[in-house]
Amino acid sequence: MSRGSARAAYQRTTAIGQHMMSTTTTDEPTVLFESNSSLRTYILNRPKKLNALDDTMLSALRPKIEEWSSSDLCGTIVARGNGRAFCIGGDVGSVANNAADPATRSLATEFFKREFELDFILAALKKPYIAIMDGMTMGGGVGLAANAPFRIATEKTVYAMPETKIGYCPDVGGSYFLSRLDGEIGTYLALTSDTISGRAVFEHGLATHYIPSRRIPMLLDRLAELNQPHSSLVDRIIEDLSAEREPTETPAPFTGAKRVALDYAFRHNKVESIINDLEIFAASDNAEVAKWASDTLVMLHQRSPTSLKVALQAIRRGSNLSLLQSLEMELKIATAFCHGASPDFKTGVDAVIFKAKKAHERPEWSPPTLQEVTPAIVNRFFDPKSPFLTSAPSLDLPAELTSGTISNPLKYALPTEKEIGSVVTGSHASGGGLGLRFDELLDRFAELRPGKMGVKEKLLEVVQRRCVLTDNADGNQVWLKWKH
């Protein structure tokens, strides 16, 4: 037997062993599938592992999702998780261990390949797809939900892309969806690995709706009653169960002066420039801004310098790519990490997952500083000629999904800042002219987002931050002018 054949046989044996271990240590399947009238639901069922995705779960999910996608009996697809998490992410401990051993390294890249393929298939579904993020939703869990046309947050939602904590880079389409959030919020989340919770997940565009957790059973019952569900009808049903913001709720974190500082600092294409601006803001007379900047500097110092630079470049590139192109780029980045383009992935997983170091304990990153992460190191993850990318696999997807158009994941969310600006400046696709008062802006979005909860609050926050009032030569300081 040749060395290559022996290695392939070993990899197959290892994969079978892992599969057997994952299926014989529990009495219940790690993914449950339910049918109720035309409603189809998959339920991630590893609550003790916070529903972390493993090979067995990926193997169960894809064929069932493809079956539902082509079935005339399936009307709506819902994603849920058992326990206190929707999905905490991929099983990175196993992946990092496989990547560290040349004999099993291909299993690590194969996991990322299969995970990203599933993410794209879910995004490309032609049926209404609803991801219920009723609990911790991070990393790979975000990938299952991020491009669903309906993404539901509750008071239990805790949302993050925590990859730079473990010496890796945001993936599962993160370069696509994070780069399309308002301002530089996506850049901030990608680099810091910070979490946002509850209603803020909705208000910052990561969820399309916010409903109290106790209403989820009612939502599922109503969805099951739909014989021929249309997306607009599904939207209306979810919207009817939404809850207005209570005065006692914590305000969204990225608004006002803090948001202005965030957009300004994270606009740069170099991490060092971001750090410089944050240091200036840390000395601000505005106590809220100063504390935010100081806290952000602490977070960035804890992260892998290589991960920070790779993540920033991925986010900037992703803003001009399709979802499929972003996933293909991220698969190359994952391959580079698995093949030793940086040791930080193994270092980070060992520190955070296996050794459970405390948050203030910085892993031993290599290189340890931003200044030592040269352009040549970053190019290992992006340059087509990089030796770390020669074995990068390609995504294997159904032709009928890659040839069609993907639904806009922002269609049923709150209006983006960009859309609000286009209405104010008169460049919106629906038409309209210059010279709007705030009440007229409200009326326009009552037409564009009829009955949408939270629109007025979003418009008010954006207008206060991005507009000035002018008199349009009529003596009345009531006309909105966009600040460019």
Side-chain angles (χ1 to χ4, degrees):
M1 181 181 292
S2 69
R3 183 177 298 178
S5 298
R7 177 173 294 179
Y10 175 82
Q11 290 172 348
R12 287 194 297 270
T13 302
T14 303
I16 291 169
Q18 288 179 337
H19 173 75
M20 291 179 68
M21 286 190 293
S22 62
T23 55
T24 58
T25 56
T26 179
D27 293 329
E28 284 197 45
T30 52
V31 184
L32 304 176
F33 300 101
E34 294 182 350
S35 297
N36 185 0
S37 187
S38 67
L39 180 65
R40 302 291 182 269
T41 303
Y42 72 80
I43 305 171
L44 306 180
N45 191 38
R46 289 181 81 197
K48 291 182 179 179
K49 297 290 186 179
L50 301 176
N51 297 323
L53 287 173
D54 62 9
D55 286 310
T56 305
M57 298 169 80
L58 293 176
S59 296
L61 280 164
R62 177 167 176 170
K64 183 60 71 173
I65 297 299
E66 290 184 329
E67 173 192 326
W68 288 345
S69 177
S70 60
S71 172
D72 293 336
L73 298 177
C74 170
T76 306
I77 298 174
V78 168
R80 296 171 53 204
N82 271 339
R84 57 194 183 96
F86 168 59
C87 175
I88 199 68
D91 192 350
V92 294
S94 297
V95 174
N97 281 340
N98 282 335
D101 185 347
T104 57
R105 188 165 292 151
S106 64
L107 296 176
T109 54
E110 179 67 14
F111 176 87
F112 286 119
K113 174 180 178 292
R114 297 173 66 209
E115 183 184 26
F116 298 176
E117 288 169 351
L118 178 62
D119 294 334
F120 183 84
I121 289 169
L122 290 169
L125 288 172
K126 305 305 178 187
K127 304 174 187 292
Y129 171 47
I130 305 161
I132 301 177
M133 303 182 292
D134 187 34
M136 287 179 279
T137 304
M138 301 181 182
V142 171
L144 299 176
N147 292 291
F150 304 102
R151 306 179 299 282
I152 295 174
T154 74
E155 72 278 9
K156 298 178 181 179
T157 304
V158 180
Y159 189 107
M161 291 296 287
E163 288 78 10
T164 59
K165 280 185 177 181
I166 57 169
Y168 183 54
C169 175
D171 60 358
V172 297
S175 61
Y176 177 82
F177 60 79
L178 290 175
S179 64
R180 286 160 173 79
L181 295 179
D182 285 346
E184 297 297 337
I185 291 176
T187 309
Y188 169 86
L189 293 174
L191 270 59
T192 63
S193 294
D194 198 7
T195 61
I196 55 175
S197 305
R199 190 182 292 271
V201 180
F202 161 66
E203 292 177 333
H204 288 309
L206 296 157
T208 59
H209 299 78
Y210 175 88
I211 68 173
S213 180
R214 67 181 184 278
R215 295 183 184 174
I216 289 175
M218 189 184 306
L219 170 65
L220 297 174
D221 288 342
R222 293 190 182 182
L223 292 173
E225 294 171 357
L226 300 176
N227 291 322
Q228 295 181 319
H230 186 274
S231 291
S232 60
L233 182 56
V234 171
D235 176 53
R236 187 71 263 151
I237 287 173
I238 302 173
E239 202 62 54
D240 286 345
L241 294 171
S242 297
E244 292 187 4
R245 171 177 277 282
E246 297 292 335
T248 55
E249 288 186 68
T250 303
F254 308 126
T255 59
K258 189 196 301 185
R259 171 61 191 285
V260 172
L262 185 155
D263 284 351
Y264 189 85
F266 282 86
R267 77 193 192 280
H268 297 292
N269 294 327
K270 291 185 177 181
V271 180
E272 292 90 340
S273 300
I274 293 173
I275 298 290
N276 288 340
D277 276 353
L278 287 170
E279 289 172 344
I280 294 172
F281 282 123
S284 170
D285 292 335
N286 184 313
E288 182 184 33
V289 169
K291 183 180 186 308
W292 167 81
S294 297
D295 291 345
T296 302
L297 285 167
V298 170
M299 283 191 285
L300 292 177
H301 174 70
Q302 292 295 109
R303 308 300 176 242
S304 157
T306 300
S307 292
L308 290 176
K309 289 197 173 184
V310 173
L312 182 58
Q313 184 160 159
I315 291 292
R316 295 296 183 251
R317 291 183 179 222
S319 65
N320 297 311
L321 300 177
S322 67
L323 174 60
L324 180 55
Q325 291 169 333
S326 294
L327 288 168
E328 289 171 337
M329 175 184 69
E330 291 168 5
L331 185 54
K332 290 181 173 64
I333 294 172
T335 300
F337 271 110
C338 289
H339 283 77
S342 166
D344 284 358
F345 182 34
K346 183 68 167 65
T347 298
V349 171
D350 283 346
V352 176
I353 306 297
F354 295 122
K355 297 178 182 177
K357 282 193 173 185
K358 296 179 181 178
H360 66 274
E361 295 181 284
R362 190 176 192 259
E364 295 180 1
W365 305 122
S366 179
T369 67
L370 287 169
Q371 290 71 24
E372 294 172 274
V373 182
T374 64
I377 292 176
V378 177
N379 284 342
R380 295 173 183 174
F381 300 86
F382 299 97
D383 188 343
K385 297 180 181 179
S386 168
F388 299 96
L389 300 181
T390 55
S391 62
S394 299
L395 297 177
D396 181 16
L397 296 163
E400 64 270 18
L401 294 183
T402 57
S403 59
T405 57
I406 294 178
S407 61
N408 178 8
L410 299 176
K411 181 175 181 180
Y412 297 104
L414 288 172
T416 64
E417 191 167 305
K418 183 178 179 180
E419 183 181 5
I420 296 169
S422 69
V423 172
V424 172
T425 59
S427 60
H428 194 272
S430 65
L434 295 170
L436 281 178
R437 301 188 306 269
F438 182 68
D439 62 316
E440 293 173 328
L441 184 67
L442 285 175
D443 290 342
R444 282 296 307 280
F445 276 97
E447 298 171 357
L448 295 169
R449 296 288 199 285
K452 182 69 178 173
M453 195 81 69
V455 169
K456 180 178 179 180
E457 291 80 4
K458 174 73 180 272
L459 293 177
L460 183 61
E461 194 282 323
V462 172
V463 164
Q464 288 176 337
R465 183 167 41 81
R466 294 302 308 271
C467 293
V468 294
L469 294 178
T470 63
D471 65 9
N472 274 14
D474 64 359
N476 296 311
Q477 293 279 345
V478 296
W479 307 99
L480 300 175
K481 182 179 180 180
W482 193 257
K483 292 190 289 187
H484 293 282

